[in-house]
Amino acid sequence: MEDELYDEFGNYIGPEEEEDDDQEEEEDDLENAYRSGLPHGHDAEEDLMEEDKDDEGPSQAVILHEDKKYYPDAEQVYPEAETTVQDEDTQPLEQPIIAPVRTKSFDCVEKKTPVNPYSHVYLHQLSGNPALVRNICVAGHLHHGKTSLLDVLVRQTHNFGKLQEHEFERKWDGCEDLRYMDSRVDEQKRKITIKSLPISLLMPSSGGKSYALNFMDTPGHVNFIDEVAASVAIADGMLLVVDAVEGVMLNTERVIQLAAAQRIPICLVLNKIDRLVLELKLPPADAYFKLKHVIEEVNTIYTSFTGNNEEILSPHLGNVCFASSLQGYTFTLESYARLYADTYGGFPAKEFAKRLWGDFWYNEETRKFQRTPPATGAQRTFVQFLLEPLYKLMSQVVGEEPKELDMVLQELSLSVKRSHLQKSVKALLRSVMSAFFADNSGLVDMVVKSIPSPLEATGTKVETNYTGAFDTDFAKSIKRCSAEGPLAIHIVKLYHQPDCVGFNAYGRIISGTVSIGDKVKVLGEGYTLDDDEDMVETTVTDIWLHAGRYKIPIDQATAGMWVLIGGIDDSIIKTATVVHSEGPEDACIFRPLQHKTKSVVKLAIEPLNPSELPKMLDGLRKVNKTYPLLGTKVEESGEHLILGTGELYLDCVMHDLRFMYSEIEIKTADPSVSFCETVIETSSLKCFAETPNKKNKLTLIAEPLEKGLAEDIELGEILMTWDRKRQASFLQSKYDWDVLAARSVWAFGPDMNGPNVLVDDTLPSEVDKQMLATVKDSVVQGFQWGTSSLNHREGPLCDEPIRNVKFKILDASVDSSPVHRGSGQIIPTGRRVCYSAFLMASPRLMEPVFYVEIQAPADCLSAIYTVLARRRGHVVQDIPKAGSPLYTIKAYIPVMDSYGFETDLRTHTQGQAFCVQVFDHWAIVPGDPLDKSIVLKPLEPSPAPYLAREFMVKTRRRKGMSEDVSINKFFDDPMLLELARQDQDLASYF
């Protein structure tokens, strides 16, 4: 203790003084004051220092500047806020600290909802009554006027001027080139429709009764036929738009085929009839025959698909409408007859309309209609009462001075503003003709009469598209199209949200009612009652009625309506079926879209910056959702491929991928095509393979399928789900199969509807059928594995799908012990023996071929022939187009040689030729792909016999495979010995 009284140098310092409690409290207060950070003018430190000055003199304490706190901390100002300290800046330099708000302008949307003559609440309520709803797909060929026809209806139901909500006026000025249904910026720039878009309108009939009409505007280019397939799947009828001058074209036939497959009726709109007057300058009598010829063309094609030989479309039946979308009018025979009845009166318009088409003449002396001309040169009633007045009115507008025209219009009681009389002829024609026909009630009457309501059409729609059994309670309930029934929604389209991150699902409510907040199950295309993996439960967050460039939000939707649904898109790839979470357990899906063409144009892509690969993959996933027929694939070499229907299709896909969904730079390779592999002869000898345990043995041969059978299998004309008797009857009657083979079909492959057949051709006297039946599933699985290019790494020629091949099982030796005949033994053996039989049957490559339709003047025919000949194409028909100075040339061209064909064609014809191309069939590539004697010279075009070898070698190189087929992978050692023993030349051939 004494040591504590001295310091380290021995000086006496005495005992420590006991601190007073008051002093400790003062020091604590001072320390708290330091920490509290009060403003310097009033802090506790200065107060305490003043007290020290009074008591003990000035303080000697040193207070550092950084220890002083002049302002309160964020924790004191915002006591409930979370504060984090980031030691290292992880944000890249090229990214701003606060990123600017980016608005994507890929869509043309209404900033303010246009003024309508009806309220949106009334439209919603009317849509809830299925008897007053019509669901219509507007389809036709490219530039035949589908979008402009809907513009005519939009102008009748929308006002784009500055009017109050309670006012309405049909306004034409300022929207001549509206293209209202082309809601994408790139559609407006290209002047074509790329995506199908719906619009819900409320329109009155001639009797004043209002109907809720749901129209789906579809693309006319044949590359986008998949969009039409999606629209037809939920529509109850088709409004077929045909150019009165061009008539039936390539895509016209395709959309009629889609309508026939879905069993929906067609209404015909003969558009652009003003071209007969202003461009072709046809006399009225010739114009009648031109219109009649177009109607007969459509009828001929429609009956060829439906098998019904009766006249289906005719003006006197009320399902043909005449229109000029450029001049803004539509009319039917009945609506035109109503103009006469309103003007002169004294006769029923319907009876008059029945006599306005066909072989009817009006006898002015007897004032009666008759079937024979009353005098030489007399005109039919259609010409006399319809075409001649139209011709006269149009010639008056084109040829008269404004003053004389004004007098003529006053006589017709047409009110046209005087300022319009000073406009150009085109605008003046539009104003006068639209005023003459007033409204489009004739078109509405035709649609209401000829197209069934959802109440009448849902039963057919369910029978056509539902994949489940029709005798279940669920199937019977959804056929009734009742709002009280179980929920069933057929989703066919996905539309991106404004931020291009999420999607909204568009579809038709087949049955039941859906409301915001409902818990639903989304059943994908892979869902079955046995495998429910492709099923997700989610919640409906939004519901809209789609109205072109704007959406009408609603809280609830019922059966028969077309609706846009938010919150359910995550698990949907192409199509889906939506049911309530607590709905029936036996609900099945609606059939995925059935396409009449294939994606055969292939494009390899990769990001310019390899580190942005995840962004590209995310963009691929999104763009795959928006194009129904787009295919994506990853090769074993890591190459990413997209597959489309043509050059324009892939150009639009790449635009969306680059700018809308991934927002990165992407490199593309030269386009290529998909190939198939086939055989042209029967296997030269029986091919066998033993299982690895040497206990089982399979013997097969391969031979070509009958012509047309592969296409029938793909189109669903024959199914594996049929019973054996029905299958055998089909194969015997159409393809002359014998009874034994027809009843012994084991499988189609790949994917149960592929273009190859596996047949059990064994005899009971030679093979134990019961033992063979025990391994049937394994053999079928090996066959499925072998014919698809998606499930294995090496293929027989170049890792492409096998097509048009019939595999026959001739002999089988199966071990009696189940242990020795397991699937692990049989499946690889079945695949290997399929390949060996394939290679022994003169294998060949198949390439896709485009069908080309060209329109051009007669003086361009020689140039067209020359361009086609340079690209391995050939013309099959060239005929003059009736009633026009053009020729229609029909030809075939291999897809491999079609790239740049349209540009080449226009260059050689000075832009006078216009063509469209669509996949038609598969053709065998000339030459033997396994001929090793062929020497391929770089940078030189190969002659025709060398093409198959060139295509195979280059495809194998691109996929990272060896140049030649190695038979060791597909032949067992005993089989090789058998080959060497039977045919030495054949062994050296490989």
Side-chain angles (χ1 to χ4, degrees), residues 126 157 165 172 209 287 373 547 549 664 687 743 810 853 859 873:
L126 200 67
T157 55
E165 291 187 1
W172 193 277
K209 189 175 182 179
R549 297 189 183 182
I664 61 174
C687 298
R743 289 179 175 268
L810 300 184
E853 189 173 86
D859 56 355

Side-chain angles (χ1 to χ4, degrees), residues 249-357:
M249 299 293 290
L250 174 59
N251 205 40
T252 310
E253 298 181 23
R254 296 277 167 157
V255 299
I256 292 175
Q257 186 179 8
L258 286 173
Q262 284 289 325
R263 299 161 56 190
I264 62 175
I266 288 179
C267 291
L268 177 62
V269 177
L270 287 175
N271 196 20
K272 301 186 181 182
I273 61 173
D274 58 293
R275 293 184 65 192
L276 301 176
V277 186
L278 303 176
E279 291 184 23
L280 298 185
K281 297 180 175 59
L282 292 179
D286 292 350
Y288 164 77
F289 286 109
K290 173 63 177 174
L291 295 173
K292 184 180 178 182
H293 175 72
V294 175
I295 295 173
E296 290 173 351
E297 276 188 304
V298 177
N299 271 316
T300 301
I301 294 172
Y302 195 19
T303 54
S304 68
F305 291 127
T306 60
N308 186 0
N309 294 323
E310 298 179 0
E311 187 180 32
I312 299 173
L313 297 168
S314 179
H316 74 269
L317 295 176
N319 53 15
V320 174
C321 178
F322 304 92
S324 172
S325 54
L326 180 66
Q327 296 182 1
Y329 64 85
T330 64
F331 67 89
T332 59
L333 295 185
E334 188 172 335
S335 68
Y336 208 107
R338 202 177 302 116
L339 290 176
Y340 278 100
D342 293 342
T343 304
Y344 300 103
F347 59 90
K350 288 187 178 181
E351 293 299 320
F352 182 42
K354 293 179 182 178
R355 294 163 175 81
L356 288 179
W357 182 261

Side-chain angles (χ1 to χ4, degrees), residues 720 724 744-748 758-760 772 776 779-780 809:
M720 276 307 299
R724 285 190 174 186
S744 302
V745 175
W746 271 16
F748 301 144
L758 178 63
V759 179
D760 174 20
L772 183 59
K776 175 181 176 180
V779 175
V780 169
I809 304 175

Side-chain angles (χ1 to χ4, degrees), residues 526-548:
Y527 175 87
T528 61
L529 294 178
D530 299 327
D531 182 8
D532 61 352
E533 182 179 357
D534 194 4
M535 185 269 290
V536 173
E537 292 195 16
T538 184
T539 304
V540 175
T541 59
D542 300 282
I543 305 176
W544 298 278
L545 290 178
H546 212 313

Side-chain angles (χ1 to χ4, degrees), residues 96 124 260 286 295 297 299 329 395 398 400 429 467 518 563 621 646 660 862 920 951 959:
H124 177 210
D286 292 350
I295 295 173
E297 276 188 304
N299 271 316
Y329 64 85
S395 60
V398 172
E400 295 289 346
L429 266 174
T467 59
D518 282 359
V563 290
R621 181 185 63 83
M660 294 175 64
S862 60
D920 187 79
F951 291 165
K959 295 183 177 183

